[in-house]
Amino acid sequence: MLLAIDVGNTNVVFALVEDETIRWRWRVATDHNRTADEYAVLLNQLMALEGVERAHISGAIIATVVPPTLFNLQHLCRKYFDVEPLIVGANGIDYGIAINMPNPAEVGADRIVNAVAAHASTPGDLIIVDFGTATTFDIVASDPVTGAGSYEGGVIAPGINLSMDALYMAAAKLPRIAVEPPTTGSNNASVIGKNTVHAMQSGVFWGYVGLIEGLTSRIKAEVGRPMTVIGTGGLATLFNRHTDAIDSVDGDLTIRGLIRINALNAIT
């Protein structure tokens, strides 16, 4: 069984994968001070609830955008699961796609992993919109003859929760709000807010819908070919209900990318 670990700025996702099927997944807050022993206690308890023993883990792969977490997660894999983890971003890793960037090492591990998964499952040129701590737009090109894929770059914007926190912290009279579109009395989505909370919800929510639609439209115009837009991340489903710019949503995209990379680099 494979232990796939995806470390984001806000959460760490642990997933157990059997025969390329995600069997279990757990989410804990990202804390770069958390030790390998503390991770082990958390995972041991979560695995015990599902009847999974440590001996069932035969491999591990880690993708992190928080470098200080890497040492302790590597130590976790070695000490408690007796496996040497594969690290996304390490030298010599086969991703199954080219990284067409001047400095491939500076591309976030999560963005590469998403690109790998999306290319493996969806033909043609792609835009991947990941709603995380940052909202990222990543472009994957596909050769029309060979089908070979390449990561071509992208866009990084502040995540919606960051924007809401900044609004709340910087403006003394504005309250903290939830991520949702404002509604009228008939429960229809409305752009024009009739009070402060609704006005803030409209600015943040519909502002991000405009961001999604505007950037995907501009990317498609620049590429000059049809492109499929894939959404992922916690808020992808919510935004997908309010825009036609997203063609499909895949909440497991990052974990599936880790599974794919592990398979490509498996030692036989």
mmCIF file of all heavy atoms in Angstrom, residues 7-9 14 35 58 90 122 135 151 154 156 159 163-166 173 189 200 203 221 232 260 266:
data_model
loop_
_atom_site.group_PDB
_atom_site.id
_atom_site.type_symbol
_atom_site.label_atom_id
_atom_site.label_comp_id
_atom_site.label_asym_id
_atom_site.label_seq_id
_atom_site.Cartn_x
_atom_site.Cartn_y
_atom_site.Cartn_z
ATOM 1 N N VAL A 7 1.570 18.096 0.944
ATOM 2 C CA VAL A 7 1.687 19.162 1.933
ATOM 3 C C VAL A 7 1.400 20.504 1.269
ATOM 4 O O VAL A 7 2.153 20.959 0.405
ATOM 5 C CB VAL A 7 3.093 19.198 2.559
ATOM 6 C CG1 VAL A 7 3.148 20.249 3.672
ATOM 7 C CG2 VAL A 7 3.478 17.830 3.100
ATOM 8 N N GLY A 8 0.291 21.123 1.680
ATOM 9 C CA GLY A 8 -0.038 22.457 1.221
ATOM 10 C C GLY A 8 0.262 23.483 2.289
ATOM 11 O O GLY A 8 0.652 23.133 3.413
ATOM 12 N N ASN A 9 0.074 24.742 1.972
ATOM 13 C CA ASN A 9 0.339 25.794 2.955
ATOM 14 C C ASN A 9 -0.631 25.754 4.131
ATOM 15 O O ASN A 9 -0.289 26.189 5.233
ATOM 16 C CB ASN A 9 0.263 27.168 2.272
ATOM 17 C CG ASN A 9 1.441 27.420 1.371
ATOM 18 O OD1 ASN A 9 2.568 27.530 1.815
ATOM 19 N ND2 ASN A 9 1.176 27.499 0.071
ATOM 20 N N PHE A 14 -2.903 13.096 3.890
ATOM 21 C CA PHE A 14 -2.327 11.756 3.862
ATOM 22 C C PHE A 14 -3.340 10.848 3.175
ATOM 23 O O PHE A 14 -4.521 10.841 3.545
ATOM 24 C CB PHE A 14 -2.061 11.227 5.271
ATOM 25 C CG PHE A 14 -1.016 11.984 6.033
ATOM 26 C CD1 PHE A 14 -1.369 13.019 6.882
ATOM 27 C CD2 PHE A 14 0.333 11.664 5.914
ATOM 28 C CE1 PHE A 14 -0.415 13.719 7.597
ATOM 29 C CE2 PHE A 14 1.299 12.358 6.624
ATOM 30 C CZ PHE A 14 0.927 13.384 7.467
ATOM 31 N N THR A 35 6.742 17.222 14.655
ATOM 32 C CA THR A 35 7.831 16.256 14.520
ATOM 33 C C THR A 35 7.341 14.968 13.865
ATOM 34 O O THR A 35 6.137 14.711 13.760
ATOM 35 C CB THR A 35 8.427 15.910 15.887
ATOM 36 O OG1 THR A 35 7.441 15.194 16.656
ATOM 37 C CG2 THR A 35 8.856 17.170 16.637
ATOM 38 N N SER A 58 3.983 -0.100 1.967
ATOM 39 C CA SER A 58 5.160 -0.614 1.270
ATOM 40 C C SER A 58 5.902 0.463 0.479
ATOM 41 O O SER A 58 6.971 0.199 -0.087
ATOM 42 C CB SER A 58 4.748 -1.736 0.315
ATOM 43 O OG SER A 58 3.774 -1.265 -0.612
ATOM 44 N N ALA A 90 12.822 16.073 -6.592
ATOM 45 C CA ALA A 90 14.192 15.561 -6.482
ATOM 46 C C ALA A 90 14.777 15.335 -7.868
ATOM 47 O O ALA A 90 14.049 15.166 -8.855
ATOM 48 C CB ALA A 90 14.200 14.263 -5.677
ATOM 49 N N THR A 122 -6.846 13.359 -19.164
ATOM 50 C CA THR A 122 -7.630 14.203 -20.071
ATOM 51 C C THR A 122 -6.801 14.550 -21.301
ATOM 52 O O THR A 122 -5.732 15.144 -21.174
ATOM 53 C CB THR A 122 -8.056 15.506 -19.362
ATOM 54 O OG1 THR A 122 -8.717 15.186 -18.133
ATOM 55 C CG2 THR A 122 -9.000 16.310 -20.245
ATOM 56 N N THR A 135 -4.717 30.742 -5.560
ATOM 57 C CA THR A 135 -5.474 30.220 -6.692
ATOM 58 C C THR A 135 -4.529 30.196 -7.882
ATOM 59 O O THR A 135 -4.039 31.245 -8.310
ATOM 60 C CB THR A 135 -6.695 31.102 -7.003
ATOM 61 O OG1 THR A 135 -7.551 31.136 -5.860
ATOM 62 C CG2 THR A 135 -7.477 30.550 -8.183
ATOM 63 N N TYR A 151 4.458 20.819 -19.303
ATOM 64 C CA TYR A 151 3.994 21.891 -18.426
ATOM 65 C C TYR A 151 4.554 23.200 -18.965
ATOM 66 O O TYR A 151 5.769 23.340 -19.135
ATOM 67 C CB TYR A 151 4.466 21.643 -16.994
ATOM 68 C CG TYR A 151 4.089 22.759 -16.047
ATOM 69 C CD1 TYR A 151 2.845 22.775 -15.444
ATOM 70 C CD2 TYR A 151 4.971 23.804 -15.776
ATOM 71 C CE1 TYR A 151 2.477 23.811 -14.590
ATOM 72 C CE2 TYR A 151 4.614 24.839 -14.927
ATOM 73 C CZ TYR A 151 3.367 24.840 -14.342
ATOM 74 O OH TYR A 151 3.015 25.870 -13.510
ATOM 75 N N GLY A 154 2.099 29.175 -15.906
ATOM 76 C CA GLY A 154 0.767 29.471 -15.398
ATOM 77 C C GLY A 154 0.654 30.821 -14.722
ATOM 78 O O GLY A 154 1.437 31.743 -14.983
ATOM 79 N N ILE A 156 -0.402 32.715 -10.815
ATOM 80 C CA ILE A 156 -0.627 32.563 -9.380
ATOM 81 C C ILE A 156 -1.331 33.814 -8.867
ATOM 82 O O ILE A 156 -0.835 34.929 -9.049
ATOM 83 C CB ILE A 156 0.694 32.366 -8.612
ATOM 84 C CG1 ILE A 156 1.448 31.137 -9.121
ATOM 85 C CG2 ILE A 156 0.428 32.231 -7.104
ATOM 86 C CD1 ILE A 156 2.823 30.960 -8.495
ATOM 87 N N GLY A 159 -5.352 33.304 -2.930
ATOM 88 C CA GLY A 159 -6.531 32.481 -2.709
ATOM 89 C C GLY A 159 -7.670 33.308 -2.139
ATOM 90 O O GLY A 159 -7.454 34.367 -1.539
ATOM 91 N N SER A 163 -7.764 36.581 0.515
ATOM 92 C CA SER A 163 -8.364 37.876 0.169
ATOM 93 C C SER A 163 -9.384 38.302 1.218
ATOM 94 O O SER A 163 -9.436 39.469 1.615
ATOM 95 C CB SER A 163 -9.031 37.783 -1.202
ATOM 96 O OG SER A 163 -8.076 37.543 -2.204
ATOM 97 N N MET A 164 -10.188 37.361 1.676
ATOM 98 C CA MET A 164 -11.182 37.695 2.697
ATOM 99 C C MET A 164 -10.519 38.083 4.012
ATOM 100 O O MET A 164 -10.948 39.019 4.683
ATOM 101 C CB MET A 164 -12.126 36.513 2.918
ATOM 102 C CG MET A 164 -13.072 36.281 1.756
ATOM 103 S SD MET A 164 -14.454 35.215 2.205
ATOM 104 C CE MET A 164 -13.600 33.809 2.871
ATOM 105 N N ASP A 165 -9.458 37.355 4.380
ATOM 106 C CA ASP A 165 -8.753 37.686 5.616
ATOM 107 C C ASP A 165 -8.120 39.072 5.533
ATOM 108 O O ASP A 165 -8.137 39.839 6.500
ATOM 109 C CB ASP A 165 -7.677 36.637 5.910
ATOM 110 C CG ASP A 165 -8.263 35.312 6.366
ATOM 111 O OD1 ASP A 165 -9.450 35.297 6.750
ATOM 112 O OD2 ASP A 165 -7.542 34.296 6.344
ATOM 113 N N ALA A 166 -7.556 39.389 4.374
ATOM 114 C CA ALA A 166 -6.936 40.702 4.193
ATOM 115 C C ALA A 166 -7.973 41.814 4.304
ATOM 116 O O ALA A 166 -7.733 42.861 4.924
ATOM 117 C CB ALA A 166 -6.235 40.766 2.839
ATOM 118 N N LYS A 173 -14.127 48.269 10.033
ATOM 119 C CA LYS A 173 -15.569 48.097 10.203
ATOM 120 C C LYS A 173 -16.141 46.935 9.390
ATOM 121 O O LYS A 173 -17.350 46.705 9.417
ATOM 122 C CB LYS A 173 -16.297 49.402 9.832
ATOM 123 C CG LYS A 173 -15.942 50.575 10.726
ATOM 124 C CD LYS A 173 -16.758 51.806 10.396
ATOM 125 C CE LYS A 173 -18.223 51.621 10.776
ATOM 126 N NZ LYS A 173 -19.002 52.864 10.573
ATOM 127 N N ALA A 189 -28.978 33.982 -6.657
ATOM 128 C CA ALA A 189 -27.673 34.627 -6.554
ATOM 129 C C ALA A 189 -27.773 36.058 -7.062
ATOM 130 O O ALA A 189 -28.361 36.328 -8.115
ATOM 131 C CB ALA A 189 -26.638 33.850 -7.353
ATOM 132 N N MET A 200 -19.804 42.542 0.542
ATOM 133 C CA MET A 200 -18.494 41.888 0.645
ATOM 134 C C MET A 200 -18.517 40.518 -0.032
ATOM 135 O O MET A 200 -17.583 40.154 -0.755
ATOM 136 C CB MET A 200 -18.097 41.733 2.116
ATOM 137 C CG MET A 200 -17.767 43.042 2.810
ATOM 138 S SD MET A 200 -17.465 42.787 4.573
ATOM 139 C CE MET A 200 -15.974 41.774 4.527
ATOM 140 N N GLY A 203 -18.393 41.051 -3.748
ATOM 141 C CA GLY A 203 -17.074 41.463 -4.230
ATOM 142 C C GLY A 203 -16.090 40.325 -4.257
ATOM 143 O O GLY A 203 -15.320 40.162 -5.220
ATOM 144 N N ALA A 221 -6.991 32.488 -25.429
ATOM 145 C CA ALA A 221 -6.701 33.378 -26.552
ATOM 146 C C ALA A 221 -5.208 33.398 -26.859
ATOM 147 O O ALA A 221 -4.803 33.430 -28.032
ATOM 148 C CB ALA A 221 -7.201 34.788 -26.239
ATOM 149 N N THR A 232 -9.816 22.008 -9.272
ATOM 150 C CA THR A 232 -9.519 21.144 -8.134
ATOM 151 C C THR A 232 -9.345 22.025 -6.900
ATOM 152 O O THR A 232 -9.291 23.245 -6.992
ATOM 153 C CB THR A 232 -8.258 20.282 -8.401
ATOM 154 O OG1 THR A 232 -8.140 19.274 -7.388
ATOM 155 C CG2 THR A 232 -6.994 21.135 -8.422
ATOM 156 N N ARG A 260 0.505 8.497 -9.947
ATOM 157 C CA ARG A 260 1.085 8.382 -11.285
ATOM 158 C C ARG A 260 2.605 8.509 -11.250
ATOM 159 O O ARG A 260 3.335 7.718 -11.854
ATOM 160 C CB ARG A 260 0.471 9.458 -12.190
ATOM 161 C CG ARG A 260 1.133 9.643 -13.545
ATOM 162 C CD ARG A 260 0.799 8.534 -14.489
ATOM 163 N NE ARG A 260 1.309 8.823 -15.826
ATOM 164 C CZ ARG A 260 1.457 7.909 -16.770
ATOM 165 N NH1 ARG A 260 1.135 6.651 -16.537
ATOM 166 N NH2 ARG A 260 1.915 8.239 -17.965
ATOM 167 N N ALA A 266 8.698 3.679 -10.027
ATOM 168 C CA ALA A 266 8.777 2.472 -9.209
ATOM 169 C C ALA A 266 10.023 1.672 -9.572
ATOM 170 O O ALA A 266 10.361 1.518 -10.752
ATOM 171 C CB ALA A 266 7.527 1.634 -9.368
#
